[in-house]
């Protein structure tokens, strides 16, 4: 039985006009949104998948397949709540999450506190246990060319006492 487990994940979604931009459960005003079967919240997907990885339960697609109509347009925070239940049933809690968003635009700084609050609420942990940072693509690659957004996440899970 492990007392501490670590997981990591990367998620990428394409930007497209006519979609809402939702990151960390926050709807952000922008000319493009993320393309995906659910709400395509790349940040919440990376956080959830890092937890699944720490638990050795596979990836998001295994649990929430994009071929299943019930996940069409799904709120990713609801998917994260399901992942929390799996983690809780296995006897683990969040030690901490450290996530990064790679997006050229829009600016993430005004939204990071709300993202942290949303994710901490779903994972039943303190906001201090959720770190979210953002960086730009500096006009390089698909991030810099505003074709997509990437999010990375690392988490530590602790066995509940």
């Amino acid at each position: 039985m492990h007392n501490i487990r670590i997981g990591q994940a990367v998620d990428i979604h394409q930007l497209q006009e006519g979609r809402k931009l939702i990151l960390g459960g926050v709807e952000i005003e922008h000319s493009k949104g993320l393309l995906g079967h659910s709400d395509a919240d790349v940040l919440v997907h990376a956080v959830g998948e890092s937890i699944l990885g720490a638990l050795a339960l596979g990836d998001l697609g295994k649990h929430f397949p994009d071929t299943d109509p019930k996940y069409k347009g799904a709120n990713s925070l609801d998917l994260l709540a399901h992942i929390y239940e799996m983690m809780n049933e296995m006897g683990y809690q969040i030690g901490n999450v450290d996530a990064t968003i790679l997006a050229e635009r829009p600016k993430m700084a005004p939204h990071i506190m709300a993202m942290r609050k949303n994710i901490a609420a779903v994972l039943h942990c303190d906001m201090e246990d959720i770190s979210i940072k953002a960086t730009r693509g500096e006009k390089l690659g698909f991030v810099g060319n505003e074709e997509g957004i990437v999010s990375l996440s690392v988490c530590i899970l602790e066995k509940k006492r």
Side-chain angles (χ1 to χ4, degrees):
M1 184 72 69
H2 302 290
N3 290 325
I4 295 176
R5 300 183 72 108
I6 187 167
Q8 66 84 36
V10 176
D11 198 43
I12 302 169
H13 282 273
Q14 183 179 347
L15 281 163
Q16 185 177 73
E17 290 182 14
R19 295 269 305 185
K20 292 180 181 179
L21 179 59
I22 300 171
L23 293 167
V26 177
E27 188 173 333
I28 300 170
E29 188 68 34
H30 192 54
S31 60
K32 296 179 180 177
L34 293 168
L35 181 61
H37 188 65
S38 66
D39 63 8
D41 187 330
V42 70
L43 173 61
V44 172
H45 290 183
V47 170
E49 193 161 271
S50 70
I51 295 168
L52 289 172
L55 298 170
L57 293 176
D59 61 19
L60 279 180
K62 176 180 176 182
H63 297 275
F64 313 105
D66 63 7
T67 54
D68 191 331
K70 76 178 172 185
Y71 300 119
K72 178 108 175 106
N75 180 328
S76 293
L77 290 174
D78 293 340
L79 305 181
L80 187 61
H82 184 71
I83 293 168
Y84 168 80
E85 291 302 328
M86 289 187 272
M87 176 184 74
N88 190 45
E89 286 172 18
M90 291 178 71
Y92 286 91
Q93 63 190 12
I94 294 293
N96 75 302
V97 170
D98 185 19
T100 305
I101 303 164
L102 288 80
E104 191 68 21
R105 288 186 319 115
K107 290 271 188 212
M108 295 295 138
H111 310 288
I112 285 178
M113 288 301 282
M115 294 175 189
R116 290 176 63 207
K117 182 178 178 183
N118 289 343
I119 292 170
V122 172
L123 295 177
H124 303 271
C125 65
D126 294 333
M127 248 178 65
E128 292 74 31
D129 297 329
I130 306 297
S131 170
I132 299 171
K133 306 171 303 298
T135 190
R136 294 178 42 228
E138 302 296 336
K139 306 284 185 200
L140 298 172
F142 72 87
V143 171
N145 291 327
E146 299 182 51
E147 297 169 29
I149 294 179
V150 179
S151 188
L152 304 100
S153 178
V154 176
C155 74
I156 291 182
L157 305 184
E158 301 170 336
K159 197 73 173 162
K160 289 192 246 177
R161 299 170 209 250

